[in-house]
Amino acid sequence: MDIIVREVRPDDARDCGRVMYEAFKSIADLHNFPPDFPSADDAASFLGVLIAHPGFFGVVAERAGVVIGSSFLDERSPVLGVGPVTVDPTAQNNGVGRRLMQDVLDRATTRNAPGVRLLQSAYHNRSLCLYTSLGFKTREPVSVMQGPPIGVSFAGHQVRPAQLTDLAACNALCRDIHGFDRANELGDAVARNAAMVVEHLGEISGYTTSVGFPGHSVACSNRDLMALIAAAPTFPGPGFLLPTRNHEVLASCIASGLKLVMQMTLLTKGLYNEPDGAYLPSVWY
């Protein structure tokens, strides 16, 4: 196919949103899973935010002037996050996804990023094969959890809104657990009043930018992480992402009435340190 790949523009949001909605819905329907977005308008609104944000890079694929796919790269932290990557169902299996992926990976190379990561839906075999062929390594399965707010507190673990004065302690905690901080993502969340911290024995022992698809969390212990989850007013998007191997937190969530929506897979390319603590990845990583 005669495909042109170019950088995304603000007026691409609606077309990219339509393609993303249809692409996600078609594969989800095939496996009897709920789509990531309830409508094309919701998908377009989400992408509009990414396109307008200076911390995201995006490209679109066009055929005869019509948008048939897009790919985005979260550049807010030292390790970059890929996604979403979507191709119109009528144009799939023709190398468009590979071209879109290669373009954002080339972008990561030009930025000298030490690593790139992503999460993919575990039922989507083709995407796992594509990412593996591009050098991504499978790290661990992740469970998407959703349900009503838990609304309980844990003795000795106080959860409160994050403040600007908390940033240094939160970034130090992230470095201890992951080997690098995610200061820009955390700053974004504090600015929109979405970030929360948990304190134990007078010290910050965990934080979250949002307990949901777009947010990540880190904590010293499972109990700190459980306190953040239990205090969340909602779980934005399809839900929050919990490493499936974390039996204690997964069992607690199930006992609290949360449901498993689906499994995803964390994939990494380049720098990767096994997390030294409890964490929730975002949909980017």
Side-chain angles (χ1 to χ4, degrees):
M1 293 187 294
D2 186 14
I3 304 298
I4 296 174
V5 177
R6 60 166 175 80
E7 192 165 343
V8 70
R9 301 189 299 255
D11 60 354
D12 291 321
R14 180 166 293 279
D15 287 338
C16 289
R18 173 188 54 78
V19 169
M20 183 168 72
Y21 170 71
E22 293 175 355
F24 282 155
K25 187 175 187 304
S26 66
I27 188 68
D29 286 349
L30 186 62
H31 295 86
N32 199 30
F33 282 93
D36 287 4
F37 295 92
S39 71
D41 286 342
D42 288 300
S45 295
F46 173 78
L47 289 185
V49 173
L50 302 194
I51 293 170
H53 196 296
F56 284 85
F57 172 76
V59 292
V60 300
E62 287 184 333
R63 179 178 60 192
V66 177
V67 172
I68 59 170
S70 64
S71 181
F72 291 84
L73 189 67
D74 185 348
E75 301 180 330
R76 292 175 294 172
S77 297
V79 172
L80 310 186
V82 177
V85 181
T86 52
V87 177
D88 190 299
T90 64
Q92 291 177 3
N93 303 315
N94 286 288
V96 179
R98 181 176 291 273
R99 284 193 59 181
L100 288 168
M101 277 296 300
Q102 191 60 60
D103 205 274
V104 295
L105 291 177
D106 290 344
R107 167 79 172 192
T109 299
T110 64
R111 292 181 61 85
N112 296 314
V116 184
R117 302 181 187 181
L118 60 83
L119 277 98
Q120 63 91 223
S121 299
Y123 57 75
H124 195 349
N125 295 350
R126 284 176 298 153
S127 70
L128 179 61
C129 293
L130 170 61
Y131 301 144
T132 300
S133 72
L134 289 169
F136 283 86
K137 296 181 179 180
T138 296
R139 294 301 179 180
E140 67 175 305
V142 177
S143 296
V144 181
M145 307 299 295
Q146 185 57 276
I150 298 173
V152 300
S153 59
F154 288 73
H157 297 262
Q158 178 190 2
V159 179
R160 60 169 175 81
Q163 308 294 327
L164 289 175
T165 53
D166 299 322
L167 294 181
C170 291
N171 290 328
L173 180 60
C174 190
R175 286 193 295 272
D176 287 343
I177 292 174
H178 286 299
F180 59 94
D181 65 53
R182 301 174 75 167
N184 291 331
E185 295 176 60
L186 178 58
D188 278 354
V190 171
R192 64 177 191 274
N193 299 315
M196 305 289 288
V197 299
V198 56
E199 292 180 321
H200 179 57
L201 300 178
E203 301 288 340
I204 289 178
S205 52
Y207 78 82
T208 183
T209 59
S210 172
V211 183
F213 236 42
H216 74 272
S217 310
V218 294
C220 292
S221 70
N222 279 343
R223 195 161 181 83
D224 294 309
L225 186 61
M226 288 157 63
L228 288 168
I229 294 170
T234 60
F235 305 122
F240 65 91
L241 297 111
L242 171 65
T244 307
R245 63 187 168 96
N246 192 333
H247 171 79
E248 182 181 11
V249 178
L250 180 59
S252 174
C253 289
I254 293 171
S256 297
L258 301 185
K259 303 297 184 183
L260 174 64
V261 178
M262 63 178 179
Q263 290 283 302
M264 300 189 78
T265 309
L266 173 64
L267 301 167
T268 73
K269 182 179 174 72
L271 175 69
Y272 179 74
N273 300 311
E274 187 70 22
D276 187 19
Y279 81 105
L280 304 178
S282 72
V283 72
W284 289 282
Y285 69 86

